[in-house]
């Protein structure tokens, strides 16, 4: 057992770690931070409606590959829990996938789509990679900080906004851009960013188009001045046999053979 002096030193070190600011460019702490709302005693379980979704996800995979459902189930848990994953939610996913909890912790701490600390109602992820930076992402970042009163990695006092600078979000043609929760708002300027922030304060964020984005300069998706010049038809995806796992399990050797390993 640790001495009282060692215990105080350990607690002080843990407190210093918790007070460290989150690194920019989408990097969060890779270890668990104990808190009253996120510890071994907190409770999480899927709702009845979400258990139906859980079962639909599991049916996509052979019984002996339940761990393949880990990422979609973590995403489902995060959405149910207000945008972040407590320890209890990761443990529940581990239980469903029949894996050790540490296997789920490894996945959740690796992918930046998973938040292991609470985030605001509007999670603002500003792309700071080269194309966006050249086109003004630093001004967009500063505009958000000034208008909302938070720093990179911080959450507003009312719990409405969380701000994080991240790596490339793949919308380089419409730089600069910000991902707000699931959706992309692109071709930003200081003025249009302030417009979006004011709309979010009133919970009136404009919906995105059918392509999952909303360029704020009036253009359609990433079309240029000549409009659409290719991809006039939506390609037909290959058909997948509904009974491909009818016997419940697959032989890993056969999977490798079909994938030409």
């Amino acid at each position: 057992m640790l001495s009282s002096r060692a215990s105080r030193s350990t607690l002080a070190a843990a407190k210093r770690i918790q007070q460290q600011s989150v690194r920019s460019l989408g990097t969060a702490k890779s270890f668990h931070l104990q808190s009253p709302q996120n510890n071994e005693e907190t409770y999480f379980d899927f709702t009845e409606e979400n258990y139906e979704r859980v079962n639909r996800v599991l049916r996509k995979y052979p019984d002996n590959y339940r761990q393949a459902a880990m990422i979609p189930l973590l995403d489902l848990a995060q959405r149910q829990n207000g945008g972040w994953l407590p320890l209890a939610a990761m443990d529940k996913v581990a239980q469903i996938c029949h894996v050790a909890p540490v296997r789920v912790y490894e996945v959740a701490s690796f992918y930046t789509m998973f938040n292991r600390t609470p985030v605001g109602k509007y999670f603002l992820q500003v792309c700071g990679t080269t194309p966006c930076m050249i086109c003004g992402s630093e001004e967009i970042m500063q505009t958000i900080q000034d208008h909302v009163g938070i720093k990179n990695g911080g959450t507003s006092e009312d719990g409405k906004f969380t701000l994080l600078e991240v790596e490339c979000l793949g919308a380089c043609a419409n730089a600069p851009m910000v991902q707000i929760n699931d959706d992309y708002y692109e071709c930003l300027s200081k003025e249009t960013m302030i417009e979006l922030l004011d709309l979010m304060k009133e919970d009136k964020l404009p919906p995105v188009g059918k392509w999952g984005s909303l360029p704020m300069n009036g253009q359609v998706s990433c079309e240029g001045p000549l409009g659409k010049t290719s991809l006039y038809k939506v390609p037909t995806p290959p058909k997948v046999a509904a009974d491909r796992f009818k016997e419940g399990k697959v032989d890993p050797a056969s999977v490798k053979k079909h994938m030409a390993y």
Side-chain angles (χ1 to χ4, degrees):
M1 183 177 291
L2 290 173
S3 66
S4 58
R5 181 177 180 181
S7 298
R8 288 196 300 270
S9 299
T10 302
L11 290 172
K15 186 175 181 180
R16 286 195 299 272
I17 291 172
Q18 289 180 336
Q19 291 174 342
Q20 291 174 4
S21 61
V22 177
R23 289 180 59 196
S24 63
L25 299 175
T27 304
K29 295 181 176 69
S30 60
F31 47 85
H32 172 66
L33 293 175
Q34 194 87 342
S35 70
Q37 57 188 332
N38 188 14
N39 56 65
E40 294 86 352
E41 304 299 325
T42 52
Y43 175 81
F44 175 89
D45 200 359
F46 286 107
T47 63
E48 185 175 340
E49 181 182 6
N50 277 342
Y51 264 118
E52 294 179 6
R53 294 188 173 98
V54 167
N55 290 326
R56 285 204 298 271
V57 170
L58 290 174
R59 284 197 294 269
K60 296 179 181 179
Y61 307 102
D63 289 344
N64 56 329
Y65 280 95
R66 291 173 72 96
Q67 67 268 29
M70 192 183 299
I71 289 179
L73 294 188
L74 284 171
D75 180 65
L76 182 62
Q78 179 166 275
R79 291 175 188 278
Q80 177 179 311
N81 198 59
W84 69 286
L85 284 170
L87 197 65
M90 292 184 275
D91 289 344
K92 175 58 66 174
V93 171
Q95 179 186 7
I96 292 172
C97 291
H98 298 172
V99 297
V102 68
R103 296 303 181 193
V104 179
Y105 305 159
E106 290 169 346
V107 171
S109 62
F110 179 82
Y111 290 103
T112 57
M113 67 181 283
F114 297 123
N115 308 307
R116 290 170 295 106
T117 53
V119 296
K121 180 176 182 179
Y122 297 106
F123 185 23
L124 305 158
Q125 298 180 76
V126 179
C127 177
T129 313
T130 308
C132 280
M133 183 185 67
I134 292 172
C135 292
S137 67
E138 292 179 337
E139 182 182 33
I140 299 302
M141 193 75 179
Q142 191 61 51
T143 297
I144 297 172
Q145 294 183 75
D146 294 342
H147 203 69
V148 180
I150 55 176
K151 298 295 185 182
N152 183 27
T155 299
S156 59
E157 291 184 0
D158 60 3
K160 204 150 196 174
F161 300 97
T162 294
L163 174 64
L164 189 65
E165 183 182 2
V166 298
E167 284 283 10
C168 183
L169 291 170
C172 308
N174 287 354
M177 60 82 62
V178 59
Q179 180 179 338
I180 303 176
N181 297 338
D182 289 331
D183 299 324
Y184 281 16
Y185 292 83
E186 305 164 342
C187 302
L188 296 170
S189 65
K190 178 179 179 179
E191 292 72 25
T192 55
M193 190 66 245
I194 291 175
E195 177 186 346
L196 285 173
L197 291 169
D198 289 340
L199 288 169
M200 282 184 276
K201 288 179 180 179
E202 300 176 4
D203 291 327
K204 295 180 179 178
L205 188 65
V208 297
K210 68 176 183 178
W211 306 114
S213 67
L214 181 65
M216 295 300 291
N217 63 351
Q219 74 182 45
V220 178
S221 187
C222 55
E223 292 182 10
L226 297 178
K228 195 170 187 177
T229 58
S230 61
L231 298 176
Y232 293 104
K233 296 181 180 179
V234 177
T236 303
K239 292 184 178 180
V240 178
D243 61 348
R244 64 194 187 280
F245 301 137
K246 62 182 179 181
E247 296 180 0
K249 295 185 178 182
V250 296
D251 177 12
S254 69
V255 174
K256 293 182 178 181
K257 179 180 178 182
H258 286 108
M259 297 184 72
Y261 281 3

